[in-house]
Amino acid sequence: MKVFSFSDEYFQQSQSALDLALDTAPVYKAWRALDPGKQAPVDARYAVLPELTKQDMRESFPQGLVPENRDVAQGIKNQEIEYVQTSGTTAERVTNLWNQAWWDASEIASWKLNAHTAHLDGTQPEAQLTSALSVGFRSQGDLPMAERRLGRFLFLNEKVSAREWTDAHFERMAAELDEYRPEVLEVNPSWLARLAWWALDHGRQVVSPRVILFTYEFASALHVRDIRRVFQSPLISSYGATETGYVLMECEHGTLHQNTDFCRIDFEPLKPEHGGPDLGRLLVTTFKNPWTSLVRFDVGDLVRLDPRPACPCGRREGMRVLAVEGRAANVTFTHTGRLVTTKEIDDCLARVEGARDYVLDQVTRQTCRLQLVAPENPMSAAREARQRLETLYGPGVEVTVELQADLEPSPSGKYRRTRALFDYDIKGLFK
Ligand SMILES: [Zn+2]
């Protein structure tokens, strides 16, 4: 594993977050016996502790993660916190105590990690383009612009699937970006790609906001390519979760830097045969949230550490990540059983001429089914995609390709681009 630099304050925050959690938050009671004690080096203390699971969180809700015997009912009454449920399948879903002030502070700290966002202070006009299941207002009927406004935010979409968009919705999005002129456009890249395809297919110009932030899900290289053809804005990935706040932010040199003011990261590598030691998962511990002690929480994604001694941007502190490679739950396997991340599939399909989008299901270890969107030259794209994937997965893995006009997001409003449909031991892939 790479060695990164951390300030004394980071270690102090790590220590006080851990002491507070172990001493006072009910869910960690069973962890106390494992702690080597407050005199031990803080990294060694974290290293022997288990991970916090969503099941732990659900079973101990609402008081389990709350430190210092704070009263949740009182916090809600005082409007310091509210209940917020994350999206996803039943196994993934968790209700959180949402503390808006802490969330905003975490976001502002993350903006400092990119020169294009460092000036933002949370007052600038911002537009959002994602599923209405992720954020904003949800409606089957169309909502006028005024009913999709909230404070400094404009939500460009009120639908749960981009397949509900008609020409009139695309026209409306383009017109509203022109009228509202957001400084920041925060998007799910899969959803913005669909606006970009409309603009490309109709020869239309769309106003470029000062910055475009990618969040909510893995950004496909196919989508980034087409978004760049329409928007001149810097495209910046911001990585976090409802539970953790803002964890990583992409700098102007394309490296993701840790938001060290607001979180600690413990990195757990995969076994070398599956991409370790640079590829692994993140266990996140949050700092300074008075209502939630989150310690060693697995956000569920695989990331690749930056092997270089430093990033050219000059930021020295914290972990650096070259790429978020997709969710651990969305890995597939080659014919030899080696783990394949979503990013590896994505890089492979990004080379297919004319491909726009895809969903890959590995049905058995020997068979994959690719749904492919490639409107310009579908037959040759399908042939090339199949050949490239069969080379990647290796002999004995058969790939079938189904051409699609477009794809549906999953029930959470996000797109799941790859997954294995058979059971495998994910824990056994880690060191
Ligand atoms: Zn950098």
Side-chain angles (χ1 to χ4, degrees):
M1 182 184 157
K2 305 295 166 262
V3 177
F4 298 104
S5 309
F6 297 95
S7 65
D8 290 345
E9 199 200 325
Y10 179 77
F11 289 110
Q12 282 156 17
Q13 289 285 354
S14 293
Q15 170 123 7
S16 51
L18 184 58
D19 288 345
L20 187 66
L22 292 180
D23 291 348
T24 68
V27 78
Y28 303 106
K29 208 171 168 186
W31 293 22
R32 289 177 198 162
L34 303 168
D35 181 17
K38 290 176 185 171
Q39 74 294 342
V42 67
D43 287 349
R45 294 178 66 197
Y46 274 92
V48 297
L49 294 173
E51 69 183 277
L52 177 68
T53 65
K54 290 191 175 183
Q55 194 184 342
D56 295 333
M57 292 168 77
R58 270 193 297 270
E59 285 173 358
S60 67
F61 190 81
Q63 211 61 50
L65 299 181
V66 180
E68 297 193 292
N69 303 311
R70 281 169 185 268
D71 183 349
V72 168
Q74 195 61 41
I76 289 173
K77 204 172 149 199
N78 297 346
Q79 298 185 327
E80 288 177 55
I81 46 171
E82 58 186 304
Y83 288 171
V84 165
Q85 197 172 59
T86 58
S87 60
T89 63
T90 314
E92 290 163 354
R93 227 175 292 147
V94 166
T95 308
N96 291 274
L97 297 180
W98 181 265
N99 177 346
Q100 188 71 48
W102 178 81
W103 178 268
D104 291 346
S106 166
E107 183 175 33
I108 288 171
S110 76
W111 286 334
K112 304 272 178 268
L113 299 170
N114 187 299
H116 299 292
T117 53
H119 68 289
L120 298 174
D121 60 7
T123 61
Q124 288 80 3
E126 180 171 330
Q128 288 268 348
L129 181 55
T130 183
S131 168
L133 293 168
S134 297
V135 74
F137 303 98
R138 178 178 166 185
S139 172
Q140 283 186 320
D142 294 352
L143 297 175
M145 186 175 174
E147 291 177 31
R148 286 178 281 105
R149 291 285 314 279
L150 183 68
R152 67 191 179 90
F153 293 99
L154 166 65
F155 301 99
L156 293 168
N157 169 57
E158 69 276 57
K159 309 296 178 192
V160 299
S161 167
R163 294 196 82 168
E164 294 177 52
W165 288 347
T166 63
D167 239 16
H169 293 108
F170 287 111
E171 295 281 2
R172 188 187 80 182
M173 286 184 259
E176 289 183 359
L177 281 172
D178 192 25
E179 182 186 339
Y180 192 65
R181 300 272 164 166
E183 181 120 348
V184 179
L185 174 59
E186 184 170 80
V187 302
N188 177 323
S190 298
W191 290 64
L192 183 63
R194 282 158 172 80
L195 176 59
W197 297 333
W198 170 82
L200 291 168
D201 293 346
H202 294 78
R204 295 293 298 273
Q205 304 272 317
V206 184
V207 163
S208 293
R210 190 152 159 190
V211 291
I212 294 177
L213 287 177
F214 289 162
T215 181
Y216 300 110
E217 70 173 41
F218 174 81
S220 168
L222 292 162
H223 297 169
V224 174
R225 176 198 65 198
D226 290 339
I227 290 166
R228 274 196 206 290
R229 291 170 66 195
V230 174
F231 295 94
Q232 283 75 55
S233 325
L235 307 178
I236 305 165
S237 283
S238 168
Y239 175 83
T242 308
E243 295 87 351
T244 60
Y246 292 77
V247 174
L248 298 167
M249 176 77 171
E250 185 179 355
C251 75
E252 56 284 2
H253 287 266
T255 310
L256 290 143
H257 291 267
Q258 180 185 353
N259 189 14
T260 49
D261 287 349
F262 279 82
C263 69
R264 171 189 173 88
I265 298 176
D266 288 284
F267 179 80
E268 293 209 337
L270 285 156
K271 287 177 177 167
E273 60 269 35
H274 295 299
D278 286 350
L279 188 65
R281 64 178 186 148
L282 305 176
L283 301 179
V284 177
T285 299
T286 53
F287 297 158
K288 305 176 203 172
N289 185 344
W291 283 97
T292 301
S293 277
L294 196 80
V295 180
R296 288 174 64 82
F297 175 72
D298 181 3
V299 189
D301 291 284
L302 297 175
V303 305
R304 185 172 298 281
L305 297 183
D306 181 1
R308 301 169 302 176
C311 178
C313 76
R315 293 178 182 84
R316 289 276 174 260
E317 185 172 10
M319 188 173 284
R320 293 187 317 276
V321 165
L322 283 187
V324 177
E325 298 219 351
R327 299 193 69 68
N330 293 352
V331 299
T332 54
F333 299 91
T334 67
H335 78 294
T336 61
R338 176 181 69 81
L339 175 151
V340 176
T341 63
T342 298
K343 183 173 186 296
E344 193 173 346
I345 299 299
D346 196 73
D347 289 343
C348 173
L349 293 175
R351 292 194 285 273
V352 175
E353 183 76 26
R356 280 189 170 178
D357 208 352
Y358 64 91
V359 168
L360 180 93
D361 290 328
Q362 187 167 29
V363 182
T364 69
R365 287 185 182 266
Q366 288 78 38
T367 53
C368 291
R369 183 177 62 224
L370 180 74
Q371 297 180 69
L372 183 68
V373 179
E376 275 170 37
N377 47 357
M379 298 316 286
S380 67
R383 196 165 49 241
E384 189 187 343
R386 196 189 72 237
Q387 285 165 354
R388 287 189 181 278
L389 288 174
E390 286 184 344
T391 304
L392 191 157
Y393 282 106
V397 180
E398 189 190 347
V399 178
T400 55
V401 182
E402 296 166 13
L403 289 161
Q404 302 286 0
D406 199 358
L407 300 166
E408 280 289 347
S410 67
S412 69
K414 302 178 185 182
Y415 286 81
R416 184 195 284 266
R417 291 226 146 60
T418 63
R419 65 175 165 174
L421 301 183
F422 48 87
D423 289 334
Y424 55 91
D425 172 24
I426 186 78
K427 288 273 153 62
L429 306 174
F430 288 87
K431 247 181 132 167

